[in-house]
Amino acid sequence: MTSFFLALTFLFSGTTFITLSKRDNNKRYQIAGVLLTATGVICLLVALFNH
């Protein structure tokens, strides 16, 4: 259950960074957001299939 909430945290922070990158036109925020979102998706898949 903890990994599920960790995955949601990664997803939320990743989408926040992507939103910031669009607002500030900053490429580093976009890269960080994509990496965090991808990590969140992987953690979510692991949490769902690890039952």
Side-chain angles (χ1 to χ4, degrees), residues 11-30:
L11 284 172
F12 179 72
S13 58
T15 53
T16 303
F17 268 93
I18 291 173
T19 305
L20 283 175
S21 76
K22 290 185 188 299
R23 188 190 70 185
D24 296 343
N25 201 11
N26 194 335
K27 204 71 165 165
R28 286 187 180 174
Y29 281 167
Q30 185 179 14

